Amino acid sequence: MKTYAAVGLGNAIVDVLTQSDDTFLEMMGIEKGIMQLIERDRAELLYSAMQGRVQVPGGSVANTMAGLGNLGLNTAFVGRVHDDILGRFYADAMNEMGTDFVNSPVAAGDLPTSRCMIFVSPDGERSMNTYLGISSELGPDDLNKAVLEDCDLTYLEGYLYDKPKGKAALEEAARLCQAAGGRAGIALSDPFCADRHRGDFQRIARQLDYVLGNEHEWMSLYQCDLENALQRAAREVKLAVCTRGGGDVVLLRGDERVEVPVNPVTPVDATGAGDAFAAGFLFGLWNGRSLQDCGRMGCVVAAEAISHFGARPETDLQELFTREGLI
């Protein structure tokens, strides 16, 4: 039996959250409901303007590992933080939450720890302003070969393809995991990411064991409408998962197609819904459950994530699964 059920690789970002209204967003020049990459000066300005801010370790794949940890699985996360106040906070908080933070904070270099300023509107929409900092410098030298060979699942963050050494790190991590008998998969991350790296994503999607994305990401990947994108995914991807805002989740494995209905939930904070879905899905996959159950587990965890402020689970997820008859 391997030490880790899952190991994630991605941007190690401190999420800084606050509540705000549309007037504040307009005054600060923040576009509502989207993620914007910002420079260091802009990050410092927004950080100082946040009232009643809450800081938690974040990053898409790191959030997924936290969800799996809540479900009782041994998890690890490979990311890069600076040896500064936020970086030490991130590493310590991940370890305290039960996910091994594999890499020590980096003392050398000028780039500070990455942070994402998240402004949550009364309707639950989140406006994310991300300064990537040192996390985007993750490369093959940051990989721990023993950890990647000692896990059942590896989950990769597509955003890291934005730099050549990030791409090299993800592909080497997948190779190490699969060569040791594990399964590796990737999150498409966002439609613009799929657009920027279409050729690489189409290639790696054929090589990996599972690929997760939302409807906009799949359409961007294949440059067509959703149904044709899903048909192509069914032909080319071993296991494809598509979440749809307010619609059924679609899971495809060869000729098998499963559609899992989503129960509408009024969000308190939609931050991390996709990350949470991935945690539930991967828990089911690791346990050898049917595609229907994997999809239902993902939906249960996503619903929990949007029911409160922040992306990390605040409820015993196994209790929720028991309530839903899933375990």
Side-chain angles (χ1 to χ4, degrees):
M1 186 172 179
K2 298 199 173 186
T3 299
Y4 296 108
V7 174
L9 282 85
N11 283 305
I13 299 175
V14 177
D15 285 342
V16 187
L17 301 101
T18 190
Q19 293 178 316
S20 64
D21 56 24
D22 291 353
T23 302
F24 176 85
L25 297 180
E26 186 176 347
M27 181 180 70
M28 298 300 294
I30 298 169
E31 191 168 347
K32 182 177 178 179
I34 68 165
M35 192 281 285
Q36 302 176 80
L37 292 177
I38 59 175
E39 297 300 324
R40 187 170 181 172
D41 289 348
R42 173 74 169 164
E44 291 173 356
L45 172 67
L46 293 182
Y47 185 83
S48 66
M50 301 178 87
Q51 300 296 316
R53 58 184 178 240
V54 176
Q55 295 182 169
V56 294
S60 177
V61 167
N63 289 338
T64 298
M65 293 302 108
L68 286 169
N70 179 288
L71 284 161
L73 301 189
N74 288 335
T75 60
F77 180 66
V78 179
R80 191 174 175 87
V81 298
H82 191 72
D83 189 13
D84 53 19
I85 291 173
L86 283 181
R88 291 188 292 273
F89 160 77
Y90 190 98
D92 291 344
M94 289 292 288
N95 288 323
E96 287 167 8
M97 291 177 177
T99 293
D100 290 348
F101 189 72
V102 176
N103 301 47
S104 299
V106 178
D110 297 326
L111 292 176
T113 295
S114 310
R115 73 285 312 264
C116 179
M117 276 66 69
I118 303 171
F119 299 87
V120 184
S121 304
D123 60 3
E125 280 283 356
R126 78 266 198 231
S127 307
M128 304 167 67
N129 297 263
T130 304
Y131 170 61
L132 287 177
I134 197 172
S135 69
S136 63
E137 296 297 313
L138 186 79
D141 290 345
D142 296 303
L143 300 183
N144 185 313
K145 183 173 182 285
V147 168
L148 290 161
E149 291 177 337
D150 197 18
C151 67
D152 294 311
L153 301 172
T154 295
Y155 189 43
L156 313 172
E157 187 173 309
Y159 281 126
L160 286 176
Y161 264 75
D162 280 335
K163 291 201 173 181
K165 58 185 178 181
K167 169 185 169 180
L170 294 192
E171 298 199 0
E172 175 64 7
R175 187 193 68 77
L176 288 169
C177 173
Q178 290 177 317
R183 288 173 288 177
I186 195 169
L188 296 177
S189 291
D190 79 26
F192 302 107
C193 191
D195 183 59
R196 288 193 299 273
H197 306 294
R198 184 171 293 113
D200 278 328
F201 276 17
Q202 289 180 4
R203 172 184 54 80
I204 198 70
R206 292 191 291 269
Q207 298 169 4
L208 295 177
D209 299 287
Y210 55 92
V211 179
L212 279 72
N214 63 35
E215 57 192 316
H216 305 293
E217 292 156 4
W218 283 109
M219 288 189 289
S220 177
L221 180 65
Y222 292 126
Q223 293 182 287
C224 59
D225 64 82
L226 181 60
E227 189 51 41
N228 279 304
L230 293 178
Q231 289 177 13
R232 182 166 173 184
R235 295 193 300 271
E236 297 186 10
V237 181
K238 293 177 184 176
L239 173 53
V241 182
C242 175
T243 56
R244 297 186 285 182
D248 295 351
V249 173
V250 182
L251 300 97
L252 305 160
R253 183 165 54 194
D255 294 332
E256 184 181 6
R257 176 173 175 146
V258 170
E259 299 193 15
V260 178
V262 174
N263 296 323
V265 176
T266 301
V268 173
D269 171 15
T271 305
D275 310 335
F277 175 89
F281 164 78
L282 291 174
F283 180 81
L285 186 66
W286 183 80
N287 277 286
R289 302 295 290 269
S290 67
L291 291 189
Q292 181 76 27
D293 284 352
C294 289
R296 287 181 61 202
M297 287 175 169
C299 291
V300 168
V301 180
E304 191 280 338
I306 66 175
S307 71
H308 56 76
F309 198 52
R312 300 293 174 97
E314 294 184 353
T315 305
D316 185 326
L317 297 177
Q318 292 212 34
E319 266 188 34
L320 295 183
F321 285 173
T322 301
R323 227 177 285 165
E324 293 291 328
L326 286 163
I327 57 175

